[in-house]
Amino acid sequence: MAEEKDPAVPAKSKRDQLGERLKKKYPDRDYADDEALFGQINDDYDEYDTQLDQYKGREQELMDIMSKNPVSAQYISEIAKGNDPWIAMIERMGIDGITDLINNPEKQEAYAEANRKWAERLAKESKLKEEFEQNISGSVKLLEQIQQERQLDDATLDAAMDLVARIAHENETGAFTRETIELALNALTHDADVQNARTEGTVAGRNAKIDEKLRKPNTGDGMPNLAGSNNSPSEGGRRRLNFFDYAEAAQ
């Protein structure tokens, strides 16, 4: 049964619904204006188009394989159904057919090369597994240390590790997203941006201090201010400031 809507509650606009969806996907972002909102939509469409092109490319490759070799198409279809791949192969080729294929003298060189690649891949996977087991305990200790130093909750730390895992997956597949690239660029320029902001703040504060001092009237020495061409006040009732006045204000 469909949930009845409360007539007292106004229906959400399409913009609000879209904003909620984006907020769930990107909780750390704010879409205060249409420029930011439509910019994010455009970026998502670019990412979707890239992924769709990749899916279409892989699908086309699979279709080409099936059209060139109907036996392969049947074999893949059986595997997709969850059937045992070896039984599926025997059902399509028979034991004798598989034996003849393995013993084909024209294929021996290709088989030897394929076996060499398999052995290299197996050795590489074994080495990576060994390195993982050696390094993971130290990585766990490092995560615990960072969590204590920064006073992070488990959810925040898990989110950070999910991001690291996503970047690692993109590196393995070669399908980098715009968000990941911009994240890396922001990380590279973070220290320089912070330093520039500090420098600008320091300069602005010094300029404000100088301006404040220069606006204050000079304290007299108790002597009357004599009129005359050499003692005439400057415009606005202030005397002309010289180099030493600026130097003193800057201190």
Side-chain angles (χ1 to χ4, degrees):
M1 182 177 179
E3 183 180 355
E4 296 183 359
K5 296 183 178 179
D6 187 351
V9 178
K12 295 181 180 179
S13 66
K14 297 296 183 182
R15 189 185 193 286
D16 291 338
Q17 295 177 19
L18 178 60
E20 289 181 356
R21 292 185 62 182
L22 291 175
K23 199 64 179 177
K24 290 181 180 179
K25 186 175 182 181
Y26 307 108
D28 58 334
R29 298 187 182 182
D30 185 24
Y31 305 101
D33 52 36
D34 288 344
E35 185 69 20
L37 179 63
F38 287 107
Q40 184 63 68
I41 295 174
N42 184 68
D43 292 344
D44 284 352
Y45 266 114
D46 288 342
E47 182 179 348
Y48 294 151
D49 289 341
T50 300
Q51 293 178 353
L52 184 60
D53 290 341
Q54 292 172 349
Y55 295 147
K56 288 182 177 179
R58 289 191 288 267
E59 182 180 0
Q60 186 61 48
E61 291 176 357
L62 186 59
M63 292 178 63
D64 291 342
I65 293 173
M66 291 182 174
S67 62
K68 292 178 181 178
N69 192 334
V71 175
S72 298
Q74 297 170 354
Y75 178 65
I76 294 173
S77 176
E78 292 295 329
I79 295 177
K81 294 177 183 178
N83 296 333
D84 186 286
W86 291 109
I87 294 178
M89 182 177 293
I90 293 173
E91 288 178 350
R92 299 300 171 188
M93 301 181 63
I95 294 291
D96 293 340
I98 296 175
T99 303
D100 292 341
L101 182 64
I102 293 175
N103 295 327
N104 187 344
E106 297 179 357
K107 296 287 186 178
Q108 295 307 306
E109 185 177 348
Y111 291 162
E113 177 64 16
N115 188 70
R116 183 187 65 80
K117 292 181 179 179
W118 169 81
E120 288 182 351
R121 184 174 68 253
L122 187 64
K124 182 179 180 180
E125 291 176 354
S126 177
K127 182 179 179 182
L128 289 175
K129 182 179 180 181
E130 182 181 352
E131 290 180 356
F132 179 88
E133 292 176 351
Q134 291 176 351
N135 297 330
I136 189 61
S137 59
S139 298
V140 171
K141 291 180 180 178
L142 176 61
L143 289 173
E144 293 175 348
Q145 179 183 351
I146 294 176
Q147 184 176 20
Q148 293 177 359
E149 292 175 352
R150 298 198 175 194
Q151 297 296 309
L152 303 175
D153 55 29
D154 292 341
T156 301
L157 192 62
D158 290 343
M161 294 310 299
D162 287 343
L163 176 59
V164 172
R166 192 196 76 192
I167 295 174
H169 176 71
E170 291 180 9
N171 182 61
E172 292 179 354
T173 60
F176 293 99
T177 62
R178 182 184 185 92
E179 181 183 8
T180 297
I181 295 173
E182 289 184 347
L183 181 66
L185 292 174
N186 291 337
L188 288 174
T189 61
H190 176 266
D191 291 344
D193 292 339
V194 171
Q195 184 59 42
N196 290 337
R198 288 177 177 173
T199 302
E200 292 175 0
T202 301
V203 172
R206 184 182 295 116
N207 290 341
K209 180 179 178 182
I210 293 174
D211 184 68
E212 180 181 359
K213 286 189 175 182
L214 293 179
R215 290 178 181 276
K216 291 181 179 180
N218 291 323
T219 304
D221 55 3
M223 299 296 293
N225 187 14
L226 301 178
S229 59
N230 294 327
N231 296 290
S232 59
S234 60
E235 183 179 355
R238 295 170 57 187
R239 66 180 180 82
R240 187 181 302 276
L241 299 174
N242 56 34
F243 169 80
F244 298 102
D245 295 315
Y246 285 100
E248 180 183 357
Q251 294 179 355

